Amino acid sequence: MPSRRTSRRLAADAGLLVVAAAFALPLAWVILSSLDPRAELRVKAPDGLTLDNFDAVLTPEITLTPLLNSLILCGGGTLLTVACSALAAYPLSRFRSRLNRPFLLTILFATSLPITAIMVPVYALFVRVNLIDTMQGTIFFFAASQLPFAIWLMKNFMDGVPKELEEAAWTDGASSFQSLIRIVLPLMGPGVAVVTVFSFVMMWGNFFVPFMLLLTPDQMPASVSINEFFGNRGMVAYGQLAAFSVIYSTPVILLYVLVARRLGGGFALGGAVKG
Amino acid sequence: MVLLLLFLAGPIAYCAYIAFTDLQLTGQAHASFVGFDNFREAFQDEEFLNAVWLTLVFTVISSLIGQNTLGLALASLMQRASKPVRTLTGGIVITAWVLPEVVAGFLLYAFFRKEGTLNAILDALHLPSQNWLFTLPILAVSFANVWRGTAFSMLVYSAALNEIPKEITEAAEVDGAGGWRRMWHITLPMIRRSIGTNLMLNTLQTLSVFGLIWVMTRGGPGDKSQTLPLFMYEQAFQNSMIGYGTAVALLLLLVGSLFSVVYMRLLRTEV
């Protein structure tokens, strides 16, 4: 039944294209507007192409400082997350212990809690311990909120590294810590990369955490400073806002593309989530 | 480990404590213990009940119906579609998912605004246009959440559908089962675990959406799109009632834990 199959494929194609078009409209708007000297709120062909919008936002104050802040926050948070999750995943993956299962279940439980809900008490707590409005406090919280999932992912990847190689190292007198650093982590390089990129992407896009925990404008990361385009400055320059959105989103999209293959196209992350 | 304890368990415990106090931002020296007053107040507070209702609407429309069904539809269409179309659609849908929350919120704000793209299209089709963010804000933010969150369901379902052995569907086809019947009697029962997992995760994720709604409507106009996270924020910071806000947070956390436990139950049968 080749003809029937073909017609069915055409129908499926058509259906998908309609959805794709609907999903693409808002994306098309941001790209077109960022290049449009007279950007509006609706999708339209630009009145001539220009890079003026990018030019206008690429100043230290509007773009560079927030992006640098984002980089410090997310970079710091990611490093901490990766280091801690590796240390935590190692015993979970290598040693049988009666505590493993409850611990893993707790982690799984924590993974799916709505982080939003604890932000108000975290704020109150941070005020009390004087961590409010500090970069390091925010970094710590970022790391902590990302940890459960990172440990979970890291353990799954670590399980894939054969134990024999490590046992050889142990007989040669290496400690567990040494074998983790020298043997296990290098062997699971791609896994570590996935955890790193994933944590980074999650933090990069996070709005609520820095919105709550940071107060001084010049510490704000891009996710919060984008709000400045609204309201506070009177007339909204849509073209500039769009240009800023493009600049701010590009890194995470690139990073995602980079790891998408590693995640196995069909989303091994879904598998990781499913356990 | 220490981090986890300090920064997740700590706040949760602290949360449980101040939810029972009348702590305020105005800086009184000592918060006093008020027992269940915050909770009692919440359940008599019309605004709170409104927020609960809106959260429910938001979750049902955007997560249960929207992301879930659309994700499944996309995944099953992708099974049959040609490769370039599949790649294109997948790419676009996933991009919407990867975009930072605030950017997504902003894009959809532009889409739904009175002068925005949606109305432009409706005008072109000679359909009545309206100010979506004003008349139906909760619907607008729900659609926004569908736009942003569908990719996850799509990926989960694609993976699940790929695991179904070809022979089974082919056998059914030979027996003369049509597309819908195959879907209903074979495909859906076979992926029901994925459906459960996906529903759970979608719901949990949707419960904690803040940035998207904040950027699009700030919970307004009035409180027509004020879901629980926004309500919590308003109580705690605009009205300076941290204790009360935290009580709301605790309730939200409880609902989340409930879902989380069900989710783990689902997994346990699988592991």
Side-chain angles (χ1 to χ4, degrees):
Chain A
M1 298 175 288
S3 70
R4 200 171 139 208
R5 183 152 289 172
T6 324
S7 73
R8 217 194 280 156
R9 169 165 354 135
L10 283 178
D13 279 358
L16 281 183
L17 283 176
V18 170
V19 178
F23 269 77
L25 274 173
L27 291 174
W29 177 81
V30 76
I31 293 168
L32 292 175
S33 300
S34 69
L35 298 171
D36 189 339
R38 276 189 295 280
E40 293 168 21
L41 273 171
R42 61 181 57 186
V43 175
K44 65 179 176 79
D47 305 339
L49 294 178
T50 169
L51 288 176
D52 286 356
N53 291 323
F54 286 95
D55 231 24
V57 295
L58 273 177
T59 63
E61 182 196 349
I62 301 179
T63 312
L64 303 179
T65 313
L67 283 182
L68 188 66
N69 288 338
S70 286
L71 202 64
I72 296 173
L73 285 175
C74 306
T78 306
L79 280 181
L80 208 56
T81 306
V82 172
C84 293
S85 65
L87 288 176
Y90 185 68
L92 284 173
S93 166
R94 294 295 152 181
F95 305 113
R96 297 270 153 257
S97 147
R98 194 181 298 168
L99 283 175
N100 275 5
R101 197 173 159 75
F103 189 76
L104 277 173
L105 285 176
T106 315
I107 287 186
L108 194 58
F109 179 71
T111 306
S112 33
L113 283 182
I115 287 290
T116 311
I118 66 169
M119 285 317 292
V120 171
V122 166
Y123 177 87
L125 192 69
F126 269 39
V127 169
R128 181 133 327 166
V129 295
N130 262 329
L131 272 175
I132 200 76
D133 200 22
T134 59
M135 287 286 212
Q136 55 289 27
T138 313
I139 289 175
F140 281 133
F141 185 75
F142 257 146
S145 64
Q146 200 54 48
L147 256 183
F149 192 64
I151 295 178
W152 188 257
L153 262 186
M154 196 70 107
K155 182 201 170 274
N156 280 352
F157 284 120
M158 214 174 262
D159 285 345
V161 176
K163 216 178 165 182
E164 290 74 31
L165 289 166
E166 228 182 314
E167 278 161 356
W170 285 339
T171 48
D172 289 345
S175 69
S176 307
F177 185 70
Q178 279 170 332
S179 73
L180 170 66
I181 300 285
R182 296 265 172 80
I183 298 172
V184 181
L185 288 181
L187 279 174
M188 51 179 287
V192 177
V194 168
V195 176
T196 310
V197 170
F198 189 79
S199 308
F200 190 82
V201 169
M202 292 312 281
M203 292 175 195
W204 187 262
N206 196 310
F207 162 73
F208 202 38
V209 172
F211 178 65
M212 297 277 286
L213 298 183
L214 294 173
L215 309 169
T216 326
D218 44 323
Q219 291 195 358
M220 291 297 180
S223 58
V224 181
S225 75
I226 194 173
N227 255 306
E228 297 285 307
F229 282 95
F230 281 94
N232 305 352
R233 298 192 182 180
M235 261 296 283
V236 183
Y238 291 111
Q240 294 184 15
L241 182 42
F244 182 82
S245 304
V246 171
I247 297 173
Y248 167 48
S249 310
T250 310
V252 287
I253 291 178
L254 289 182
L255 280 175
Y256 181 82
V257 171
L258 210 67
V259 291
R261 296 248 164 86
R262 290 268 176 236
L263 288 172
F267 204 50
L269 205 56
V273 170
K274 279 188 286 172
Chain B
M1 283 300 290
V2 176
L3 267 184
L4 263 188
L5 272 176
L6 206 63
F7 286 90
L8 280 179
I12 291 175
Y14 191 58
C15 173
Y17 163 69
I18 50 181
F20 291 98
T21 69
D22 62 353
L23 183 64
Q24 296 191 354
L25 269 185
T26 41
Q28 93 256 47
H30 289 286
S32 50
F33 195 76
V34 294
F36 280 93
D37 278 6
N38 283 326
F39 296 98
R40 207 169 304 133
E41 193 186 327
F43 285 106
Q44 282 163 1
D45 184 350
E46 250 170 61
E47 279 184 58
F48 171 77
L49 296 176
N50 171 59
V52 171
W53 167 243
L54 287 175
T55 310
L56 209 64
V57 173
F58 180 60
T59 311
V60 169
I61 296 184
S62 68
S63 161
L64 292 187
I65 301 177
Q67 296 179 0
N68 189 51
T69 319
L70 187 59
L72 181 58
L74 284 176
S76 55
L77 281 177
M78 280 188 173
Q79 297 280 307
R80 294 192 212 130
S82 59
K83 188 144 192 289
V85 175
R86 204 161 58 207
T87 320
L88 177 75
T89 313
I92 291 173
V93 175
I94 290 176
T95 308
W97 181 55
V98 180
L99 278 186
E101 194 176 14
V102 183
V103 175
F106 172 64
L107 291 189
L108 288 146
Y109 167 81
F111 185 73
F112 282 110
R113 268 294 292 257
K114 198 160 169 241
E115 312 84 27
T117 308
L118 180 60
N119 280 340
I121 297 172
L122 290 177
D123 275 344
L125 296 172
H126 299 292
L127 290 169
S129 60
Q130 55 178 312
N131 192 349
W132 298 99
L133 290 173
F134 200 76
T135 48
L136 289 166
I138 191 71
L139 206 63
V141 292
S142 299
F143 275 114
N145 195 37
V146 172
W147 186 78
R148 189 171 141 70
T150 301
F152 182 78
S153 307
M154 182 184 85
L155 292 167
V156 169
Y157 286 136
S158 289
L161 291 178
N162 280 332
E163 277 167 24
I164 296 179
K166 273 251 156 34
E167 299 79 46
I168 298 184
T169 27
E170 270 162 16
E173 206 174 337
V174 172
D175 288 346
W180 287 112
R181 288 189 53 184
R182 275 208 310 276
M183 187 79 184
W184 190 251
H185 290 292
I186 298 171
T187 315
L188 285 184
M190 288 195 73
I191 61 168
R192 66 173 190 283
R193 286 233 177 87
S194 300
I195 297 179
T197 315
N198 184 46
L199 279 180
M200 226 64 226
L201 290 176
N202 271 347
T203 310
L204 282 164
Q205 199 268 327
T206 304
L207 270 183
S208 57
V209 170
F210 179 88
L212 195 64
I213 305 181
W214 179 256
V215 172
M216 285 178 71
T217 66
R218 306 261 143 135
D223 50 14
K224 273 161 101 187
S225 60
Q226 192 175 54
T227 57
L228 277 174
L230 282 101
F231 177 74
M232 169 191 91
Y233 176 80
E234 188 184 282
Q235 293 304 324
F237 293 101
Q238 264 129 3
N239 302 345
S240 311
M241 300 200 291
I242 295 249
Y244 186 48
T246 310
V248 176
L250 197 64
L251 288 172
L252 193 60
L253 208 59
L254 271 179
V255 176
S257 334
L258 217 70
F259 276 109
S260 198
V261 168
V262 177
Y263 168 56
M264 292 198 316
R265 270 284 144 78
L266 279 173
L267 284 186
R268 199 173 300 186
T269 54
E270 197 172 312
V271 178

